[in-house]
Amino acid sequence: MTDLLALEDVHVHLGGSHVLQGVSFRVTEGGVTALLGRNGVGKTTALRAVLGLAPAAGRIALAGDEIAALPTHRIVQRGLGYVPEDRDVFAGLTVAENLRLAERAPEPRYELVHELFPELKQRSRQLAGTLSGGQQQMVAIARALLNDNRLLLVDEPTKGLAPLLVTEVALVLERVAELATVLLVEQNLGVVRRLAEDAVVLDQGRVVYAGPAGDLLHDPARVRALLGVAVAQAA
């Protein structure tokens, strides 16, 4: 197994705060790696550093090539997709227009998107701002799937969703993981247990665990110590 993404001694300062303090971890090609931690420990900042959206010092490599000094559009062109926290759809545009803006490949994968999200085809002319939270999440994931990306950064895709929609999103992500490597930020440990082979845990801007997700989630004391949640929540 080869490393698709590698961060080595990455530091990020934002607004006078040292958010990432020498973060190092690797994402193996294929499957899902979960990036975990309590709120405010730097998970989203780590994703933004990979994308070039947060000023970072240290080494960030995609498929062995240094990308830390590249502008965001050049990083994305190397096969990196992003599903942001809180979806960030264009509320005043239709579903079809939101997807069209994400097109990068000569032949966007609309057949795949409509297979996974048939409802989006039915609602193609509907304004994205009038969709439910779950439907907006479908749009956000679909935008990343239109292009043949090697790595998808997915930030809290089940946040704020009803339990039935959480299950639906998890099913979609299982399919997505067959098509691309996924670095997943997720608070729902049931989803993590279902999807992730590996896990990285951040605490106060540092990596405090990196290894098999199963080893972490089957250790109730460690889950409680590192993530601050009860064992029942990890089931």
Side-chain angles (χ1 to χ4, degrees):
M1 302 293 284
T2 58
D3 294 329
L4 182 57
L5 178 70
L7 281 72
E8 297 179 4
D9 194 28
V10 172
H11 294 256
V12 173
H13 293 81
L14 295 174
S17 298
H18 195 179
V19 182
L20 298 185
Q21 304 177 27
V23 165
S24 299
F25 66 85
R26 297 175 182 273
V27 174
T28 301
E29 187 165 16
V32 178
T33 296
L35 183 58
L36 308 174
R38 297 179 175 88
N39 289 331
V41 299
K43 303 184 298 296
T44 295
T45 298
L47 298 190
R48 290 176 61 83
V50 171
L51 284 161
L53 295 172
R59 183 175 186 268
I60 303 175
L62 181 64
D65 296 326
E66 174 69 54
I67 61 171
L70 297 178
T72 298
H73 70 281
R74 295 295 185 194
I75 296 172
V76 169
Q77 288 171 353
R78 289 174 176 251
L80 195 151
Y82 181 41
V83 181
E85 184 181 11
D86 299 323
R87 295 118 200 177
D88 287 349
V89 300
F90 294 96
L93 300 181
T94 66
V95 169
E97 289 167 337
N98 267 270
L99 295 179
R100 198 172 303 126
L101 284 174
E103 292 179 8
R104 190 176 75 244
E107 297 182 4
R109 301 190 295 181
Y110 279 102
E111 184 175 344
L112 170 65
V113 165
H114 291 151
E115 177 191 342
L116 291 175
F117 305 112
E119 189 173 357
L120 296 187
K121 188 173 185 179
Q122 300 164 8
R123 296 180 181 273
S124 62
R125 297 183 180 182
Q126 184 172 337
L127 292 178
T130 66
L131 298 174
S132 69
Q135 291 164 342
Q136 290 185 6
Q137 187 63 70
M138 292 178 191
V139 174
I141 296 173
R143 289 185 305 198
L145 291 178
L146 275 180
N147 305 296
D148 188 15
N149 291 306
R150 299 182 64 184
L151 174 65
L152 296 181
L153 309 181
V154 183
D155 197 354
E156 302 219 26
T158 68
K159 180 180 177 181
L161 299 184
L164 186 61
L165 287 174
V166 169
T167 300
E168 185 175 341
V169 169
L171 285 170
V172 168
L173 290 175
E174 279 186 327
R175 176 68 188 280
V176 169
E178 298 173 359
L179 305 170
T181 303
V182 178
L183 178 57
L184 173 69
V185 173
E186 180 56 68
Q187 296 284 5
N188 186 319
L189 296 186
V191 173
V192 173
R193 185 190 297 276
R194 178 172 185 163
L195 297 176
E197 292 89 2
D198 297 303
V200 177
V201 181
L202 297 182
D203 189 26
Q204 297 182 351
R206 297 182 175 91
V207 174
V208 293
Y209 176 87
D215 289 357
L216 172 65
L217 296 177
H218 286 95
D219 186 338
R222 180 177 279 184
V223 168
R224 190 178 298 108
L226 296 182
L227 303 177
V229 296
V231 177
Q233 291 177 274

